Short mmCIF file of all heavy atoms in Angstrom, two decimals:
data_model
loop_
_atom_site.label_atom_id
_atom_site.label_comp_id
_atom_site.label_asym_id
_atom_site.label_seq_id
_atom_site.Cartn_x
_atom_site.Cartn_y
_atom_site.Cartn_z
N VAL Y 1 -10.90 56.50 -3.82
CA VAL Y 1 -9.56 56.58 -3.24
C VAL Y 1 -9.51 55.59 -2.08
O VAL Y 1 -10.32 55.67 -1.16
CB VAL Y 1 -9.24 58.01 -2.75
CG1 VAL Y 1 -7.85 58.07 -2.13
CG2 VAL Y 1 -9.34 59.02 -3.89
N TYR Y 2 -8.56 54.66 -2.15
CA TYR Y 2 -8.50 53.56 -1.18
C TYR Y 2 -7.13 53.52 -0.50
O TYR Y 2 -6.10 53.71 -1.16
CB TYR Y 2 -8.75 52.22 -1.89
CG TYR Y 2 -10.06 52.22 -2.63
CD1 TYR Y 2 -10.14 52.63 -3.95
CD2 TYR Y 2 -11.22 51.83 -1.98
CE1 TYR Y 2 -11.36 52.65 -4.63
CE2 TYR Y 2 -12.44 51.85 -2.64
CZ TYR Y 2 -12.49 52.26 -3.97
OH TYR Y 2 -13.70 52.29 -4.62
N ARG Y 3 -7.13 53.23 0.79
CA ARG Y 3 -5.90 53.11 1.56
C ARG Y 3 -5.32 51.72 1.38
O ARG Y 3 -6.05 50.71 1.48
CB ARG Y 3 -6.19 53.38 3.04
CG ARG Y 3 -4.98 53.33 3.93
CD ARG Y 3 -4.07 54.50 3.72
NE ARG Y 3 -2.82 54.29 4.47
CZ ARG Y 3 -1.73 54.94 4.23
NH1 ARG Y 3 -1.70 55.87 3.30
NH2 ARG Y 3 -0.64 54.70 4.91
N ILE Y 4 -4.02 51.65 1.14
CA ILE Y 4 -3.30 50.38 1.02
C ILE Y 4 -2.24 50.34 2.12
O ILE Y 4 -1.36 51.21 2.16
CB ILE Y 4 -2.61 50.24 -0.36
CG1 ILE Y 4 -3.58 50.45 -1.52
CG2 ILE Y 4 -1.87 48.91 -0.45
CD1 ILE Y 4 -4.62 49.38 -1.68
N ASP Y 5 -2.33 49.39 3.02
CA ASP Y 5 -1.34 49.17 4.08
C ASP Y 5 -1.03 47.69 4.12
O ASP Y 5 -1.84 46.89 4.58
CB ASP Y 5 -1.86 49.63 5.43
CG ASP Y 5 -1.83 51.14 5.59
OD1 ASP Y 5 -0.76 51.74 5.35
OD2 ASP Y 5 -2.87 51.72 5.94
N ILE Y 6 0.14 47.33 3.64
CA ILE Y 6 0.55 45.92 3.58
C ILE Y 6 1.85 45.76 4.36
O ILE Y 6 2.80 46.51 4.15
CB ILE Y 6 0.74 45.46 2.12
CG1 ILE Y 6 -0.56 45.58 1.34
CG2 ILE Y 6 1.29 44.03 2.08
CD1 ILE Y 6 -0.43 45.30 -0.14
N GLU Y 7 1.87 44.81 5.26
CA GLU Y 7 3.06 44.50 6.06
C GLU Y 7 3.44 43.03 5.84
O GLU Y 7 2.61 42.23 5.43
CB GLU Y 7 2.76 44.71 7.55
CG GLU Y 7 2.51 46.14 7.95
CD GLU Y 7 3.77 47.00 7.96
OE1 GLU Y 7 4.89 46.44 7.88
OE2 GLU Y 7 3.62 48.22 8.02
N ALA Y 8 4.67 42.71 6.17
CA ALA Y 8 5.09 41.31 6.17
C ALA Y 8 4.30 40.57 7.25
O ALA Y 8 3.94 41.16 8.28
CB ALA Y 8 6.58 41.22 6.44
N THR Y 9 4.00 39.32 7.00
CA THR Y 9 3.28 38.49 7.97
C THR Y 9 4.05 37.19 8.16
O THR Y 9 4.95 36.88 7.37
CB THR Y 9 1.86 38.14 7.45
OG1 THR Y 9 2.00 37.34 6.27
CG2 THR Y 9 1.05 39.39 7.15
N PRO Y 10 3.72 36.42 9.18
CA PRO Y 10 4.40 35.13 9.34
C PRO Y 10 4.25 34.24 8.09
O PRO Y 10 5.17 33.53 7.72
CB PRO Y 10 3.71 34.51 10.55
CG PRO Y 10 3.25 35.69 11.35
CD PRO Y 10 2.84 36.71 10.32
N ALA Y 11 3.10 34.32 7.43
CA ALA Y 11 2.90 33.51 6.23
C ALA Y 11 3.70 34.03 5.04
O ALA Y 11 4.07 33.28 4.14
CB ALA Y 11 1.42 33.47 5.87
N TYR Y 12 3.96 35.36 5.01
CA TYR Y 12 4.70 36.00 3.91
C TYR Y 12 5.78 36.91 4.49
O TYR Y 12 5.70 38.14 4.41
CB TYR Y 12 3.76 36.81 3.02
CG TYR Y 12 2.68 35.99 2.38
CD1 TYR Y 12 1.41 35.93 2.94
CD2 TYR Y 12 2.94 35.26 1.23
CE1 TYR Y 12 0.41 35.16 2.36
CE2 TYR Y 12 1.95 34.49 0.64
CZ TYR Y 12 0.69 34.44 1.22
OH TYR Y 12 -0.29 33.68 0.63
N PRO Y 13 6.83 36.33 5.08
CA PRO Y 13 7.84 37.14 5.77
C PRO Y 13 8.68 38.02 4.83
O PRO Y 13 9.25 39.01 5.27
CB PRO Y 13 8.71 36.10 6.48
CG PRO Y 13 8.52 34.85 5.68
CD PRO Y 13 7.11 34.90 5.16
N ASP Y 14 8.74 37.69 3.55
CA ASP Y 14 9.55 38.46 2.60
C ASP Y 14 8.76 39.55 1.89
O ASP Y 14 9.29 40.25 1.03
CB ASP Y 14 10.18 37.53 1.56
CG ASP Y 14 11.15 36.55 2.20
OD1 ASP Y 14 11.79 36.92 3.21
OD2 ASP Y 14 11.27 35.43 1.69
N ARG Y 15 7.48 39.71 2.24
CA ARG Y 15 6.63 40.71 1.60
C ARG Y 15 7.16 42.12 1.91
O ARG Y 15 7.47 42.44 3.04
CB ARG Y 15 5.20 40.57 2.10
CG ARG Y 15 4.25 41.58 1.48
CD ARG Y 15 2.87 41.42 2.02
NE ARG Y 15 2.24 40.28 1.37
CZ ARG Y 15 1.15 39.69 1.81
NH1 ARG Y 15 0.56 40.08 2.91
NH2 ARG Y 15 0.63 38.68 1.16
N HIS Y 16 7.24 42.93 0.88
CA HIS Y 16 7.71 44.31 1.04
C HIS Y 16 6.58 45.17 1.62
O HIS Y 16 5.47 45.14 1.10
CB HIS Y 16 8.15 44.86 -0.31
CG HIS Y 16 8.80 46.20 -0.21
ND1 HIS Y 16 8.09 47.36 -0.14
CD2 HIS Y 16 10.10 46.55 -0.15
CE1 HIS Y 16 8.91 48.38 -0.04
NE2 HIS Y 16 10.14 47.92 -0.05
N PRO Y 17 6.84 45.94 2.66
CA PRO Y 17 5.78 46.79 3.21
C PRO Y 17 5.36 47.86 2.19
O PRO Y 17 6.21 48.46 1.54
CB PRO Y 17 6.41 47.45 4.43
CG PRO Y 17 7.77 46.91 4.56
CD PRO Y 17 8.08 46.04 3.39
N THR Y 18 4.07 48.07 2.06
CA THR Y 18 3.52 49.04 1.12
C THR Y 18 2.48 49.88 1.84
O THR Y 18 1.56 49.35 2.44
CB THR Y 18 2.86 48.30 -0.07
OG1 THR Y 18 3.83 47.46 -0.69
CG2 THR Y 18 2.31 49.28 -1.09
N HIS Y 19 2.66 51.21 1.76
CA HIS Y 19 1.73 52.12 2.42
C HIS Y 19 1.46 53.29 1.49
O HIS Y 19 2.40 53.94 1.02
CB HIS Y 19 2.31 52.64 3.74
CG HIS Y 19 2.67 51.55 4.68
ND1 HIS Y 19 1.73 50.89 5.43
CD2 HIS Y 19 3.86 50.97 4.97
CE1 HIS Y 19 2.33 49.96 6.16
NE2 HIS Y 19 3.62 49.99 5.90
N GLY Y 20 0.19 53.54 1.22
CA GLY Y 20 -0.15 54.66 0.36
C GLY Y 20 -1.62 54.65 0.00
O GLY Y 20 -2.43 53.95 0.62
N TRP Y 21 -1.97 55.43 -1.01
CA TRP Y 21 -3.35 55.57 -1.47
C TRP Y 21 -3.44 55.17 -2.92
O TRP Y 21 -2.54 55.48 -3.72
CB TRP Y 21 -3.80 57.02 -1.31
CG TRP Y 21 -3.79 57.47 0.10
CD1 TRP Y 21 -2.76 58.07 0.76
CD2 TRP Y 21 -4.85 57.34 1.05
NE1 TRP Y 21 -3.12 58.32 2.06
CE2 TRP Y 21 -4.40 57.88 2.27
CE3 TRP Y 21 -6.13 56.82 0.98
CZ2 TRP Y 21 -5.18 57.92 3.41
CZ3 TRP Y 21 -6.91 56.86 2.12
CH2 TRP Y 21 -6.44 57.40 3.32
N GLN Y 22 -4.50 54.48 -3.29
CA GLN Y 22 -4.71 54.07 -4.67
C GLN Y 22 -6.02 54.66 -5.18
O GLN Y 22 -7.04 54.59 -4.51
CB GLN Y 22 -4.76 52.55 -4.78
CG GLN Y 22 -4.83 52.07 -6.22
CD GLN Y 22 -4.82 50.56 -6.31
OE1 GLN Y 22 -5.53 49.89 -5.59
NE2 GLN Y 22 -4.00 50.05 -7.20
N VAL Y 23 -5.93 55.24 -6.38
CA VAL Y 23 -7.12 55.74 -7.06
C VAL Y 23 -7.57 54.65 -8.02
O VAL Y 23 -6.75 54.14 -8.79
CB VAL Y 23 -6.81 57.05 -7.82
CG1 VAL Y 23 -8.02 57.51 -8.62
CG2 VAL Y 23 -6.35 58.13 -6.86
N ARG Y 24 -8.86 54.30 -7.97
CA ARG Y 24 -9.43 53.28 -8.86
C ARG Y 24 -10.73 53.80 -9.44
O ARG Y 24 -11.67 54.08 -8.70
CB ARG Y 24 -9.73 51.99 -8.11
CG ARG Y 24 -8.51 51.21 -7.72
CD ARG Y 24 -8.92 49.91 -7.07
NE ARG Y 24 -8.48 49.96 -5.68
CZ ARG Y 24 -8.98 49.24 -4.71
NH1 ARG Y 24 -9.97 48.42 -4.92
NH2 ARG Y 24 -8.51 49.34 -3.49
N ILE Y 25 -10.76 53.91 -10.76
CA ILE Y 25 -11.97 54.37 -11.45
C ILE Y 25 -12.19 53.48 -12.66
O ILE Y 25 -11.27 53.23 -13.43
CB ILE Y 25 -11.84 55.85 -11.89
CG1 ILE Y 25 -11.64 56.73 -10.67
CG2 ILE Y 25 -13.06 56.28 -12.69
CD1 ILE Y 25 -11.34 58.17 -10.99
N ARG Y 26 -13.42 53.00 -12.82
CA ARG Y 26 -13.78 52.18 -13.98
C ARG Y 26 -14.79 52.97 -14.81
O ARG Y 26 -15.82 53.41 -14.30
CB ARG Y 26 -14.41 50.86 -13.54
CG ARG Y 26 -14.82 49.99 -14.72
CD ARG Y 26 -15.36 48.64 -14.28
NE ARG Y 26 -14.33 47.78 -13.74
CZ ARG Y 26 -13.49 47.05 -14.48
NH1 ARG Y 26 -13.56 47.10 -15.79
NH2 ARG Y 26 -12.59 46.28 -13.93
N ARG Y 27 -14.47 53.13 -16.10
CA ARG Y 27 -15.37 53.80 -17.04
C ARG Y 27 -15.39 53.02 -18.34
O ARG Y 27 -14.34 52.68 -18.88
CB ARG Y 27 -14.93 55.24 -17.33
CG ARG Y 27 -15.09 56.21 -16.18
CD ARG Y 27 -16.56 56.47 -15.87
NE ARG Y 27 -16.76 57.46 -14.85
CZ ARG Y 27 -16.75 57.23 -13.54
NH1 ARG Y 27 -16.55 56.02 -13.11
NH2 ARG Y 27 -16.95 58.19 -12.67
N GLN Y 28 -16.58 52.74 -18.82
CA GLN Y 28 -16.79 52.04 -20.09
C GLN Y 28 -15.94 50.76 -20.17
O GLN Y 28 -15.31 50.47 -21.18
CB GLN Y 28 -16.49 52.97 -21.27
CG GLN Y 28 -17.41 54.17 -21.31
CD GLN Y 28 -17.10 55.11 -22.44
OE1 GLN Y 28 -16.04 55.05 -23.05
NE2 GLN Y 28 -18.02 56.01 -22.70
N GLY Y 29 -15.94 50.02 -19.07
CA GLY Y 29 -15.24 48.74 -19.03
C GLY Y 29 -13.73 48.84 -18.88
O GLY Y 29 -13.04 47.83 -18.85
N GLU Y 30 -13.20 50.05 -18.77
CA GLU Y 30 -11.75 50.23 -18.65
C GLU Y 30 -11.42 50.68 -17.23
O GLU Y 30 -12.04 51.59 -16.68
CB GLU Y 30 -11.27 51.29 -19.64
CG GLU Y 30 -9.77 51.41 -19.70
CD GLU Y 30 -9.31 52.36 -20.79
OE1 GLU Y 30 -10.09 52.61 -21.73
OE2 GLU Y 30 -8.18 52.85 -20.68
N GLN Y 31 -10.43 50.00 -16.62
CA GLN Y 31 -10.01 50.31 -15.25
C GLN Y 31 -8.84 51.28 -15.29
O GLN Y 31 -7.86 51.06 -16.00
CB GLN Y 31 -9.59 49.02 -14.53
CG GLN Y 31 -9.17 49.22 -13.11
CD GLN Y 31 -10.33 49.41 -12.17
OE1 GLN Y 31 -11.44 48.98 -12.43
NE2 GLN Y 31 -10.09 50.06 -11.06
N HIS Y 32 -8.94 52.36 -14.53
CA HIS Y 32 -7.87 53.35 -14.38
C HIS Y 32 -7.40 53.30 -12.94
O HIS Y 32 -8.21 53.49 -12.03
CB HIS Y 32 -8.38 54.76 -14.71
CG HIS Y 32 -8.97 54.88 -16.07
ND1 HIS Y 32 -8.22 55.23 -17.16
CD2 HIS Y 32 -10.23 54.68 -16.51
CE1 HIS Y 32 -9.01 55.25 -18.23
NE2 HIS Y 32 -10.23 54.92 -17.86
N THR Y 33 -6.11 53.03 -12.71
CA THR Y 33 -5.57 52.96 -11.36
C THR Y 33 -4.23 53.67 -11.28
O THR Y 33 -3.47 53.71 -12.27
CB THR Y 33 -5.37 51.51 -10.87
OG1 THR Y 33 -4.38 50.89 -11.67
CG2 THR Y 33 -6.65 50.71 -10.93
N LYS Y 34 -3.97 54.25 -10.13
CA LYS Y 34 -2.66 54.85 -9.87
C LYS Y 34 -2.43 54.82 -8.37
O LYS Y 34 -3.34 55.08 -7.59
CB LYS Y 34 -2.60 56.28 -10.40
CG LYS Y 34 -1.22 56.89 -10.30
CD LYS Y 34 -1.11 58.17 -11.08
CE LYS Y 34 0.31 58.71 -10.99
NZ LYS Y 34 0.48 59.91 -11.80
N PHE Y 35 -1.19 54.50 -7.97
CA PHE Y 35 -0.83 54.39 -6.56
C PHE Y 35 0.05 55.57 -6.15
O PHE Y 35 0.96 55.97 -6.89
CB PHE Y 35 -0.07 53.07 -6.32
CG PHE Y 35 0.30 52.86 -4.89
CD1 PHE Y 35 -0.65 52.50 -3.96
CD2 PHE Y 35 1.60 53.02 -4.47
CE1 PHE Y 35 -0.32 52.30 -2.62
CE2 PHE Y 35 1.95 52.82 -3.15
CZ PHE Y 35 0.99 52.47 -2.22
N PHE Y 36 -0.24 56.12 -4.97
CA PHE Y 36 0.52 57.24 -4.42
C PHE Y 36 1.14 56.80 -3.10
O PHE Y 36 0.45 56.67 -2.08
CB PHE Y 36 -0.41 58.45 -4.22
CG PHE Y 36 -0.95 58.98 -5.51
CD1 PHE Y 36 -2.08 58.41 -6.09
CD2 PHE Y 36 -0.31 60.00 -6.18
CE1 PHE Y 36 -2.57 58.87 -7.30
CE2 PHE Y 36 -0.79 60.47 -7.39
CZ PHE Y 36 -1.91 59.91 -7.96
N SER Y 37 2.44 56.55 -3.12
CA SER Y 37 3.18 56.05 -1.97
C SER Y 37 3.36 57.14 -0.92
O SER Y 37 3.72 58.28 -1.24
CB SER Y 37 4.55 55.56 -2.44
OG SER Y 37 5.43 55.38 -1.36
N ASP Y 38 3.14 56.78 0.36
CA ASP Y 38 3.40 57.72 1.45
C ASP Y 38 4.85 58.20 1.41
O ASP Y 38 5.12 59.39 1.55
CB ASP Y 38 3.15 57.06 2.81
CG ASP Y 38 1.69 56.76 3.08
OD1 ASP Y 38 0.82 57.19 2.30
OD2 ASP Y 38 1.42 56.09 4.10
N GLU Y 39 5.76 57.27 1.22
CA GLU Y 39 7.18 57.60 1.25
C GLU Y 39 7.58 58.53 0.11
O GLU Y 39 8.26 59.53 0.32
CB GLU Y 39 8.01 56.31 1.18
CG GLU Y 39 9.49 56.54 1.34
CD GLU Y 39 10.28 55.25 1.40
OE1 GLU Y 39 9.71 54.19 1.72
OE2 GLU Y 39 11.49 55.31 1.10
N ARG Y 40 7.13 58.25 -1.09
CA ARG Y 40 7.51 59.06 -2.25
C ARG Y 40 6.82 60.42 -2.29
O ARG Y 40 7.34 61.35 -2.91
CB ARG Y 40 7.23 58.30 -3.54
CG ARG Y 40 8.18 57.16 -3.75
CD ARG Y 40 8.02 56.57 -5.11
NE ARG Y 40 9.00 55.50 -5.30
CZ ARG Y 40 9.09 54.80 -6.38
NH1 ARG Y 40 8.26 55.00 -7.39
NH2 ARG Y 40 10.00 53.86 -6.48
N CYS Y 41 5.66 60.51 -1.65
CA CYS Y 41 4.89 61.77 -1.68
C CYS Y 41 5.15 62.64 -0.46
O CYS Y 41 4.55 63.71 -0.34
CB CYS Y 41 3.40 61.46 -1.80
SG CYS Y 41 2.94 60.74 -3.38
N GLY Y 42 6.00 62.21 0.46
CA GLY Y 42 6.32 63.03 1.62
C GLY Y 42 5.43 62.82 2.83
O GLY Y 42 5.38 63.67 3.70
#
């Protein structure tokens, strides 16, 4: 479980802010990922 916090920067002023947690699991060469947004999850 990994924290994702992305903000706009001077180099990327149009970047959409993203805040939440991402689950990443790799099994038998297959990557399983899902993102849980702070805003959508309360």
Side-chain angles (χ1 to χ4, degrees):
V1 179
Y2 304 90
R3 182 71 189 162
I4 307 291
D5 283 309
I6 299 173
E7 293 287 348
T9 64
Y12 300 97
D14 296 328
R15 180 181 282 164
H16 187 277
T18 303
H19 303 282
W21 298 91
Q22 186 178 46
V23 175
R24 287 184 246 158
I25 299 173
R26 179 177 289 279
R27 290 292 185 275
Q28 298 178 345
E30 188 174 339
Q31 181 77 25
H32 303 270
T33 65
K34 187 168 182 176
F35 182 74
F36 295 85
S37 165
D38 291 352
E39 186 175 338
R40 289 189 177 179
C41 292

